[in-house]
Amino acid sequence: MSSVKPVRSAENLVVAGRIFRSRLIVGTGKYRDYAENAAAAEAAGAEIVTVAVRRVNIANPNEPMLVDYLSPEKYTFLPNTAGCFTGEDAVRTLRLAREAGDWNLVKLEVLSDPDTLYPDMIETLHALKLLVADGFEVMVYCSDDPVMCRRLEDEGAAAVMPLGAPIGSGLGIQNPLNIRLIAEQSRVPVLVDAGVGTASDAAVAMELGCDGVLLNTAIAEAADPIRMAKAMKLAVKAGREAFLAGRMATRRYGAASSPKDGLL
């Protein structure tokens, strides 16, 4: 059973007891340089940034270091296991990350193949159990399967992060029904992770009831990354407000906007 206290908040994003005002998490890859990455994170209003431990320099002082541009005192670093294709490799990567930066809140992703970058859920579940037993607080990249998301939560996931579409595809949310079901059933935060291409995709994720959005390529590969980061910030806020407001019912036929009674 889960050792994580289930918390979902209307006011803030709450993950493993940590409170964040921003519901947008951004990545640290594919930018021209760390300076652009830092400017985009600032424009997005992000408080959490993901760090691919195997691909980003966090320890070699002889090369440009991420921490020189994105301060761990300002941002919560979320080490992730991008590029791992087995559970054992993912667990080893995160243990090394904890030794390097004393990070306990982590993102687990175990990929099935290099073409689709879909998660291997058998390996993911195996790795999650090992990490939870080792004291990690784990946010889990996963398939958009409500049954599997429930299993992840039961095994101690601090958050479930179903994909909207394949990583880096920009296709938007392909299965809104399942994303809504996952958001409705979960006691831990639900964040769409992967597939967001533009601001409207982020807004849709939030309108479906998600607690947040994690994205990277949509900002990093935009023609103007800083402007797109600002757009994503506004989209996440607008989508959340729309969800909390409760959308109108849909109808098969038109309905007059003005009352019919009392007319001349």
Side-chain angles (χ1 to χ4, degrees):
M1 295 298 292
S2 171
S3 61
V4 177
K5 183 180 179 181
V7 176
R8 298 184 76 186
S9 167
E11 293 77 27
N12 300 293
L13 174 62
V14 182
V15 182
R18 297 167 172 83
I19 299 174
F20 303 96
R21 295 182 301 278
S22 173
R23 294 178 178 272
L24 177 59
I25 301 175
V26 298
T28 53
K30 299 186 177 181
Y31 290 92
R32 288 180 298 179
D33 50 40
Y34 287 146
E36 182 180 70
N37 195 165
E42 179 73 26
E47 295 173 272
I48 306 175
V49 294
T50 61
V51 179
V53 178
R54 303 172 117 201
R55 299 171 179 168
V56 173
N57 180 27
I58 57 175
N60 183 0
N62 297 319
E63 297 179 1
M65 295 178 62
L66 178 66
V67 294
D68 293 333
Y69 294 85
L70 290 162
S71 171
E73 295 181 1
K74 179 177 181 180
Y75 296 97
T76 295
F77 278 32
L78 183 67
N80 70 54
T81 56
C84 291
F85 290 86
T86 68
E88 285 76 12
D89 197 15
V91 170
R92 181 169 53 252
T93 297
L94 290 176
R95 285 172 175 164
L96 290 172
R98 182 162 63 181
E99 290 179 10
D102 197 30
W103 294 305
N104 200 53
L105 180 65
V106 297
K107 175 191 167 185
L108 171 65
E109 70 178 59
V110 183
L111 304 177
S112 59
D113 66 82
D115 295 320
T116 66
L117 300 180
Y118 265 72
D120 182 326
M121 293 311 303
I122 304 301
E123 288 291 301
T124 296
L125 187 61
H126 172 62
L128 172 64
K129 293 178 181 180
L130 293 175
L131 290 167
V132 169
D134 205 13
F136 285 93
E137 295 162 327
V138 191
M139 303 173 70
V140 186
Y141 167 64
C142 57
S143 60
D144 57 351
D145 177 351
V147 176
M148 184 55 73
C149 285
R150 190 181 301 117
R151 285 289 306 277
L152 295 171
E153 183 177 329
D154 288 344
E155 293 297 340
V160 293
M161 308 173 77
L163 55 82
I167 293 172
S169 68
L171 290 170
I173 295 176
Q174 296 296 295
N175 196 340
L177 172 61
N178 276 19
I179 297 295
R180 185 186 295 277
L181 289 173
I182 293 166
E184 289 176 351
Q185 76 178 16
S186 297
R187 296 169 298 157
V188 298
V190 177
L191 297 92
V192 162
D193 178 8
V196 170
T198 191
S200 57
D201 300 330
V204 166
M206 300 305 294
E207 289 173 6
L208 290 171
C210 291
D211 299 279
V213 175
L214 188 153
L215 56 87
N216 182 68
T217 308
I219 294 177
E221 291 190 357
D224 185 338
I226 310 308
R227 186 180 289 266
M228 183 60 78
K230 294 177 182 177
M232 291 297 185
K233 174 183 177 179
L234 296 173
V236 167
K237 288 184 175 181
R240 182 64 178 174
E241 287 299 309
F243 171 74
L244 294 175
R247 66 158 292 150
M248 62 169 283
T250 57
R251 304 181 178 92
R252 292 182 61 193
Y253 300 98
S257 298
S258 302
K260 297 179 180 180
D261 298 333
L263 300 179
L264 295 177

